Amino acid sequence: MDSPAFAYFCMEFAVHPEIPTYTGGLGILAGDTIRAAADMGLPAVGITLLHRKGYFRQYLDFHGNQTESEYNWSPEHLMEKLELRVKIDVEGRPVHLRVWRYSIKGITGHSVPVYFLDTCLQENSPYDRELTDYLYGGDPRYRLCQEMVLGFGGIGALRALGYMDIHAYHMNEGHSAMVTLALMEEQAWGRGLLSLNQDDIVSVSKRCVFTTHTPMPAGHDEFGLDLVRSILGNDRTDFLIKTKVCSNGFLNMTNLALNYSRYVNGVSMRHEEVARKILNNHHIDAVTNGVHAVTWTSRPFCQLYDSFIPQWRRDNLYLKHAIRIPLEDIRRAHSEAKLELLQEVGRRTAIRLDPEILTIGFARRATGYKRPTLLFHNIERLKAIAERGQRIQLIYGGKAHPRDDGGKSLIRQIFEASRTLKESITVVYIEEYDINLAKYLISGVDLWLNTPQKPLEASGTSGMKAALNGIPTFSILDGWWIEGHIEGVTGWSIGDGWESLSNLESESASLYDKLEKVILPMYYDRPEEYASVMRSAISCNGSYFNAQRMVTQYLQNAYLRNLNNL
Ligand SMILES: *Cc1c(COP(=O)(O)O)cnc(C)c1O
């Protein structure tokens, strides 16, 4: 077997619309990375947990109150069950794992496996059987045990599968940081972690790559040392203390990964800068995220690209040539995608939206810093804009984490705004935002809105998906948009510049001004011009913000780079 260029670890992984093992951006990034690697014919593997109960299914009542239920899905129908078993040590007892394989096939037929670890086995105690059930559920003990399964179980599974020589172990976010400790134990060969010397540690670090996504100083992924000692045992805990990974009585997973990785990156140029500040000037590079182009391009646009630039599937850079597609073809493909979205909205909500009206989309995790209600900050102003004749309609989507009361309240506020605006603007909130719904939204609306609080949007990827479908972004200058934004060419900015912190009043004023004076007049009075913005969004941003470019950058800057002389 080819020795993999990289093994990609992530707590969540979106590999298939019917497999609910992801919550959002992070898992989609993992899936898109592996899809791109498969297209590029790279030897690689992905590792995650099985999450038999998934994240959760979302229900919203008339007032926008969210309730949740478990998923019940059967890996038997969707994955291949492997016979091998792995045993790891958690809280001083053995925990047994089984491995499931889902293979992602690329455009040339090369396939890349993603391995899903599963503790639901007779040999395990009832507690351990559920360890791989809930994604981001449970208490700190449960979470830390899960992270042990991902790190130690993941390395154990790779060896049992015969992957001995792996160029780079890529930890996507701190949840997989236990990988470093598992590799240290291998390095120690039964001599005990405390016997490792500096050369041993460097030899492990040379194989570790870490991507951070956290733009806030207090990462929630940290555990008190008492808990760490009871779950990891004395040897591992003493090693972490001795090597100064723990501080103030806590093990912070970002810290762990940071300490033992020879290459660390943030997920956009701006995020690199912000992360460096929070992470005590640790050396951090930037690899801006990208999305898997073929996955996120709607059928009408796939057909269009196939006929004008057939090389685009093999090499996404050719999307640059979209600039030669006639505007009327762009408009026709978009109208088709828009109709498909509106039909889907009708099927799901019985609300009929008007295909002639400028349709704005906003869908992402419902949580404070994403500020989904910024558009309603001055609701009278918004109403006045819509009542002046150039109409708009809005489609929302997004789940709040079950314990994020602030996020849940934001959903209720959108429902409330929807009732207030009833006579002038139709606002639809669609339940259960997932890959299926995202595909309709990011290809069918006319404008993709994003209003994060600066500088907390590490990257954001849904606007990249929209760009592949010729949909301009209208966003606060943060995350990827700082790099993708050309005013009036690929979309429009909200607020002034990216350096300053967010200011609610000035940002909402800027949003209304631009919507009223720039975007609506162009959309309704100069549709050719609007279509040319759509086309430039594809050519400038579709050609760059894709997972193929991203994986190439990881190869060049992290996986295959000779870091001996760093
Ligand atoms: C793309 C995507 C996300 C991430 O979008 P952001 O813009 O990064 O917030 C989240 N959820 C789903 C279902 C997606 O498809």
Side-chain angles (χ1 to χ4, degrees):
M1 135 170 34
D2 274 350
S3 62
F6 65 101
Y8 195 90
F9 287 77
C10 191
M11 187 55 88
E12 49 175 302
F13 238 106
V15 294
H16 184 279
E18 304 310 319
I19 302 182
T21 52
Y22 65 96
T23 67
L26 192 68
I28 295 199
L29 183 72
D32 280 359
T33 298
I34 297 299
R35 281 182 273 275
D39 286 344
M40 294 160 79
L42 294 174
V45 295
I47 315 270
T48 187
L49 306 187
L50 186 62
H51 305 301
R52 282 174 182 273
K53 303 287 165 63
Y55 187 43
F56 66 87
R57 235 179 243 287
Q58 177 194 48
Y59 304 93
L60 297 171
D61 71 11
F62 178 75
H63 298 286
N65 294 302
Q66 172 181 298
T67 46
E68 301 101 21
S69 76
E70 290 174 357
Y71 274 91
N72 269 309
W73 67 285
S74 307
E76 286 80 5
H77 304 304
L78 295 154
M79 294 181 183
E80 188 187 345
K81 180 159 84 180
L82 306 184
E83 289 307 321
L84 63 96
R85 291 284 191 277
V86 177
K87 191 179 76 177
I88 64 167
D89 171 52
V90 180
E91 290 182 327
R93 64 176 181 281
V95 172
H96 302 267
L97 315 176
R98 164 177 28 229
V99 181
W100 299 76
R101 176 162 54 208
Y102 183 90
S103 291
I104 292 180
K105 208 172 205 170
I107 44 169
T108 57
H110 173 74
S111 72
V112 174
V114 180
Y115 296 104
F116 291 78
L117 309 176
D118 177 17
T119 57
C120 184
L121 292 169
Q122 283 303 325
E123 303 92 291
N124 287 328
S125 70
Y127 182 79
D128 292 341
R129 265 177 235 165
E130 292 191 353
L131 276 183
T132 50
D133 278 0
Y134 299 94
L135 178 54
Y136 306 138
D139 59 8
R141 176 186 172 207
Y142 184 80
R143 295 279 277 267
L144 186 53
C145 288
Q146 281 195 324
E147 295 188 10
M148 292 285 288
V149 173
L150 182 59
F152 285 85
I155 295 296
L158 287 174
R159 302 300 179 242
L161 285 157
Y163 299 104
M164 298 301 169
D165 184 22
I166 296 175
H167 225 82
Y169 295 84
H170 190 156
M171 294 165 278
N172 192 33
E173 192 55 315
H175 316 114
S176 39
M178 286 295 174
V179 165
T180 58
L181 210 48
L183 291 172
M184 294 284 178
E185 274 191 7
E186 268 192 349
Q187 185 74 20
W189 275 97
R191 287 180 286 131
L193 283 169
L194 292 165
S195 72
L196 292 178
N197 60 29
Q198 197 52 32
D199 288 347
D200 291 321
I201 293 177
V202 168
S203 131
V204 168
S205 307
K206 269 189 185 157
R207 287 175 283 154
C208 294
V209 169
F210 173 50
T211 300
T212 175
H213 295 258
T214 321
M216 278 172 271
H220 47 256
D221 207 24
E222 57 180 19
F223 304 96
L225 271 188
D226 289 344
L227 185 69
V228 170
R229 193 172 285 282
S230 83
I231 293 176
L232 272 68
N234 286 331
D235 197 35
R236 292 164 183 161
T237 308
D238 291 340
F239 174 76
L240 293 175
I241 292 171
K242 181 183 147 202
T243 55
K244 303 195 168 60
V245 172
C246 299
S247 62
N248 305 326
F250 283 94
L251 169 61
N252 177 297
M253 301 310 282
T254 298
N255 240 349
L256 174 57
L258 209 59
N259 266 268
Y260 296 133
S261 298
R262 54 108 196 244
Y263 180 87
V264 180
N265 72 287
V267 288
S268 70
M269 172 190 91
R270 175 67 171 143
H271 181 233
E272 169 197 329
E273 194 175 19
V274 172
R276 194 174 291 159
K277 269 194 205 123
I278 339 169
L279 304 175
N280 303 322
N281 288 320
H282 196 286
H283 183 84
I284 292 176
D285 213 359
V287 175
T288 303
N289 285 343
V291 298
H292 187 251
V294 174
T295 299
W296 294 105
T297 302
S298 65
R299 187 190 41 79
F301 273 97
C302 280
Q303 285 170 355
L304 195 58
Y305 301 154
D306 284 342
S307 68
F308 281 89
I309 23 177
Q311 314 91 319
W312 79 286
R313 287 177 189 260
R314 184 178 73 240
D315 180 351
N316 298 166
L317 268 175
Y318 279 97
L319 286 170
K320 202 84 192 163
H321 298 198
I323 212 70
R324 71 166 187 229
I325 301 175
L327 291 179
E328 68 217 65
D329 290 305
I330 301 274
R331 292 177 61 188
R332 195 177 316 116
H334 177 66
S335 305
E336 244 183 89
K338 186 172 182 179
L339 279 182
E340 284 178 23
L341 165 66
L342 300 193
Q343 275 167 12
E344 183 65 15
V345 172
R347 261 198 301 277
R348 290 182 185 222
T349 66
I351 295 170
R352 295 175 66 89
L353 294 173
D354 183 343
E356 299 302 319
I357 296 181
L358 176 82
T359 306
I360 301 178
F362 184 108
R364 44 187 61 85
R365 218 150 35 84
T367 193
Y369 81 87
K370 303 252 189 192
R371 300 193 297 180
T373 54
L374 186 81
L375 180 59
F376 307 123
H377 183 66
N378 184 345
I379 206 159
E380 290 308 315
R381 172 101 200 261
L382 181 63
K383 210 162 155 179
I385 293 171
E387 285 171 356
R388 214 155 290 148
Q390 303 207 308
R391 300 184 56 200
I392 56 179
Q393 55 196 9
L394 307 170
I395 309 180
Y396 274 84
K399 300 178 182 180
H401 186 279
R403 285 193 293 257
D404 182 358
D405 291 328
K408 289 184 173 179
S409 141
L410 289 167
I411 299 178
R412 282 194 297 275
Q413 289 169 41
I414 297 167
F415 272 66
E416 218 174 283
S418 161
R419 276 192 294 279
T420 310
L421 290 165
K422 203 167 75 213
E423 306 301 325
S424 38
I425 300 175
T426 307
V427 184
V428 191
Y429 202 112
I430 306 178
E431 285 176 333
E432 194 55 15
Y433 180 50
D434 63 0
I435 300 182
N436 286 321
L437 179 57
K439 280 188 181 173
Y440 283 105
L441 289 173
I442 54 89
S443 63
V445 298
D446 299 305
L447 186 65
W448 192 250
L449 179 69
N450 194 13
T451 50
Q453 180 186 336
K454 288 182 289 186
L456 300 182
E457 181 87 321
S459 166
T461 51
S462 53
M464 303 173 182
K465 301 169 190 166
L468 283 162
N469 294 283
I471 296 171
T473 282
F474 182 32
S475 169
I476 301 281
L477 281 167
D478 203 14
W480 83 280
W481 187 232
I482 298 169
E483 296 159 53
H485 161 255
I486 308 171
E487 185 70 10
V489 176
T490 57
W492 298 272
S493 65
I494 300 170
D496 36 35
W498 50 269
E499 297 93 337
S500 58
L501 292 180
S502 272
N503 175 301
L504 194 59
E505 295 306 324
S506 69
E507 284 171 342
S508 68
S510 154
L511 191 164
Y512 298 127
D513 283 346
K514 216 167 262 183
L515 185 61
E516 178 174 25
K517 298 184 181 127
V518 180
I519 300 174
L520 282 163
M522 188 192 289
Y523 183 82
Y524 285 109
D525 307 334
R526 306 188 307 280
E528 285 280 306
E529 209 179 308
Y530 199 88
S532 108
V533 175
M534 299 179 69
R535 187 172 64 183
S536 322
I538 303 166
S539 173
C540 296
N541 288 346
S543 63
Y544 182 81
F545 294 98
N546 56 68
Q548 211 173 68
R549 186 268 315 153
M550 173 181 68
V551 170
T552 305
Q553 284 202 293
Y554 276 114
L555 285 169
Q556 288 181 341
N557 297 290
Y559 305 152
L560 302 185
R561 182 158 147 224
N562 179 359
L563 286 145
N564 287 327
N565 42 17
L566 251 194

